[in-house]
């Protein structure tokens, strides 16, 4: 089972001078960014080393930036080290619910909003002379609030979930709709790509996670969240196992899910039942630590908790598959002159 969590609370006290200090020596001083609005979405990226003509970072070295999605539709981008507001992105007409930076460091940012659109921004552009110049594209196609957006690790695809029974898959090259992923029986609320971009998972209020091949649109596996408790209140309008969030582990062999039945579950990629559980209440989101071994979960009551997760040493077979699938699509694998069983393994069809 998962180990007990450590809560992300910060204890503070005021000194006689009125300044806030940590309770023990060596505790980093807490930093607060005053966004002026409810913050719904967060995404980190690295800004490259500043040039003389670069108006953003005041430092010459690469700096960490944080994009914040706000209640009024603004996106504010901050330099984390100094707390300096770099700029605001204007365009959304309602809450910015989720944000996702392109993993390749290109400073392409995708935002998902309650205004039923996704917007693509290029933060490397100079937006001083023309309002909205950093905005690259508006993606329309959802008829409900957009809850979640995820860019594939190879930066070729974007998946979005909007409280509809289907998730939408977009091309990040042409910014056009590739396909609708249809298979859920209720609202899709979360999505994530595997580290090699060969798999896509979607989570829904129907208590199921569906694993897809994003290149073909084929459903590869369904993970059903069966309640552990014998006494389930089926009179409730919301299913007790309604899912809130799903994410892949960094090596791509595990999934984490948060559901309304007060459980955090860990799933091994090739098994149909969870390998670990942890009790948690009011869970809304989950995210693996970038190097694995820990999971962070966010809750409605304002806490972030950290959990120890199963660690795994990837097999040589999986490492080879991951390396190949990072640059080969499903169609390219199927065209290789190799045995059928090897093709099935490389396309994750051996479950």
């Amino acid at each position: 089972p998962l180990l007990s969590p450590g809560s992300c609370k910060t204890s503070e006290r005021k000194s006689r001078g009125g300044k806030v200090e940590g309770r023990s020596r060596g505790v980093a001083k807490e930093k607060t960014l005053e966004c002026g609005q409810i913050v719904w979405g967060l995404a980190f990226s690295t800004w490259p080393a500043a040039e003389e003509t670069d108006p953003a970072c005041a430092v010459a070295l690469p700096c960490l930036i944080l994009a914040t999605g706000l209640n009024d539709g603004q996106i504010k981008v901050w330099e984390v080290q100094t707390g300096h507001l770099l700029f605001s992105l204007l365009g959304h007409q309602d809450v910015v619910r989720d944000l996702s930076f392109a993993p390749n460091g290109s400073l392409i940012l995708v935002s998902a909003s309650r205004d039923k659109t996704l917007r693509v921004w290029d933060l490397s552009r100079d937006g001083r002379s023309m309002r909205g110049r950093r905005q690259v594209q508006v993606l329309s196609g959802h008829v409900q609030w957009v809850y979640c957006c995820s860019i594939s690790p190879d930066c070729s695809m974007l998946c979005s979930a909007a409280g509809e029974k289907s998730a939408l898959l977009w091309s990040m090259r042409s910014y056009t709709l590739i396909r609708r992923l249809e298979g859920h029986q209720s609202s899709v609320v979360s999505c994530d790509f595997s580290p090699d971009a060969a798999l896509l998972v979607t989570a829904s209020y129907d208590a199921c996670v569906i694993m897809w091949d994003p290149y073909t649109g084929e459903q590869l596996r369904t993970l059903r969240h069966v309640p552990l408790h014998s006494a389930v209140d089926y009179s409730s309008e919301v299913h007790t196992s309604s899912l809130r969030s799903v994410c892949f582990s960094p090596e791509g062999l595990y999934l984490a899910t948060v559901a309304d039945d007060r459980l955090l579950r860990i799933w091994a990629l090739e098994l149909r039942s969870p390998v670990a559980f942890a009790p948690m209440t009011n869970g809304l989101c989950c995210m693996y630590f970038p190097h694995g071994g820990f999971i962070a979960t966010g809750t409605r009551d304002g806490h972030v908790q950290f959990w120890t997760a199963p660690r795994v040493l990837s097999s040589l077979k999986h490492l080879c598959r991951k390396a190949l699938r990072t640059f080969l699509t499903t169609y390219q694998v199927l065209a290789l002159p190799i045995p059928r069983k090897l093709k099935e393994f490389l396309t994750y069809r051996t479950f």
Side-chain angles (χ1 to χ4, degrees):
L2 301 184
L3 299 184
S4 299
S7 180
C8 188
K9 294 179 181 176
T10 302
S11 299
E12 300 176 339
R13 64 180 175 87
K14 287 191 176 182
S15 67
R16 290 180 183 178
K19 293 183 179 180
V20 176
E21 299 177 347
R23 280 190 173 173
S24 60
R25 292 181 181 179
V27 175
K29 186 177 180 180
E30 183 178 288
K31 185 186 297 293
T32 301
L33 301 178
E34 296 295 342
C35 295
Q37 292 279 328
I38 298 172
V39 180
W40 287 87
L42 299 169
F44 284 102
S45 187
T46 301
W47 197 283
E51 301 173 358
E52 290 184 5
T53 57
D54 193 337
C57 288
V59 294
L61 299 175
C63 61
L64 185 66
I65 61 172
L66 173 67
T68 56
L70 306 182
N71 199 64
D72 63 356
Q74 283 193 74
I75 300 166
K76 291 187 177 181
V77 182
W78 309 81
E79 184 183 342
V80 174
Q81 183 65 30
T82 63
H84 174 62
L85 176 63
L86 299 178
F87 45 79
S88 296
L89 304 175
L90 307 177
H92 280 299
Q93 304 301 309
D94 207 335
V95 172
V96 176
R97 188 63 182 80
D98 195 22
L99 296 164
S100 181
F101 272 107
N104 60 3
S106 63
L107 292 176
I108 295 294
L109 174 70
V110 175
S111 54
S113 171
R114 285 186 182 176
D115 66 11
K116 305 175 185 178
T117 70
L118 297 122
R119 292 174 190 253
V120 183
W121 314 82
D122 185 352
L123 304 195
S124 66
R125 292 187 181 185
D126 182 3
R128 291 176 296 174
S129 59
M130 187 186 302
R131 180 176 173 178
R133 189 172 174 181
R134 289 191 174 95
Q135 183 171 293
V136 176
Q137 194 77 26
V138 178
L139 304 181
S140 301
H142 286 293
V143 296
Q144 301 290 340
W145 294 350
V146 189
Y147 289 121
C148 180
C149 58
S150 179
I151 302 175
S152 63
D154 63 359
C155 299
S156 67
M157 294 174 285
L158 166 71
C159 185
S160 57
E164 302 155 8
K165 291 183 181 180
S166 59
L168 301 189
L169 194 64
W170 310 81
S171 168
M172 282 294 287
R173 297 189 175 101
S174 62
Y175 299 120
T176 56
L177 182 64
I178 299 173
R179 65 173 52 89
R180 291 180 178 270
L181 300 172
E182 298 179 339
H184 283 291
Q185 303 303 308
S186 189
S187 300
V188 182
V189 293
S190 182
C191 55
D192 194 27
F193 284 93
S194 62
D196 58 6
L199 297 172
L200 171 67
V201 287
T202 54
S204 167
Y205 287 161
D206 64 9
C208 291
V209 167
I210 296 180
M211 198 177 299
W212 311 81
D213 183 322
Y215 295 101
T216 66
E218 182 183 350
Q219 294 185 38
L220 302 180
R221 164 165 290 190
T222 299
L223 304 177
R224 304 184 186 280
H225 286 63
V226 180
L228 290 186
H229 313 290
S230 56
V232 179
D233 181 12
Y234 288 104
S235 63
S236 173
E237 292 183 7
V238 179
H239 195 292
T240 54
S241 293
S242 291
L243 283 162
R244 296 292 170 179
S245 185
V246 61
C247 66
F248 266 101
S249 62
E251 82 292 323
L253 289 174
Y254 286 106
L255 291 172
T257 58
V258 170
D260 282 347
D261 61 359
R262 302 179 181 180
L263 286 174
L264 166 66
R265 289 172 171 85
I266 307 299
W267 308 74
L269 199 62
E270 306 214 357
L271 299 177
R272 291 190 179 273
S273 56
V275 297
F277 300 86
M280 63 170 298
T281 56
N282 294 322
L284 283 180
C285 56
C286 59
M287 182 63 65
Y288 264 92
F289 181 64
H291 303 294
F294 297 94
I295 297 170
T297 56
T299 66
R300 289 184 186 85
D301 51 12
H303 294 106
V304 173
Q305 294 177 314
F306 297 92
W307 308 80
T308 302
R311 285 185 178 273
V312 63
L313 185 62
S314 297
S315 66
L316 182 58
K317 285 199 311 180
H318 177 66
L319 290 173
C320 290
R321 173 171 61 183
K322 186 177 173 183
L324 283 169
R325 291 311 308 272
T326 298
F327 64 89
L328 289 179
T329 70
T330 300
Y331 296 111
Q332 289 171 325
V333 170
L334 295 176
L336 293 174
I338 56 177
R340 179 176 59 85
K341 286 189 176 181
L342 191 51
K343 291 182 181 181
E344 290 175 352
F345 175 75
L346 290 176
T347 57
Y348 292 89
R349 282 158 173 80
T350 54
F351 296 151

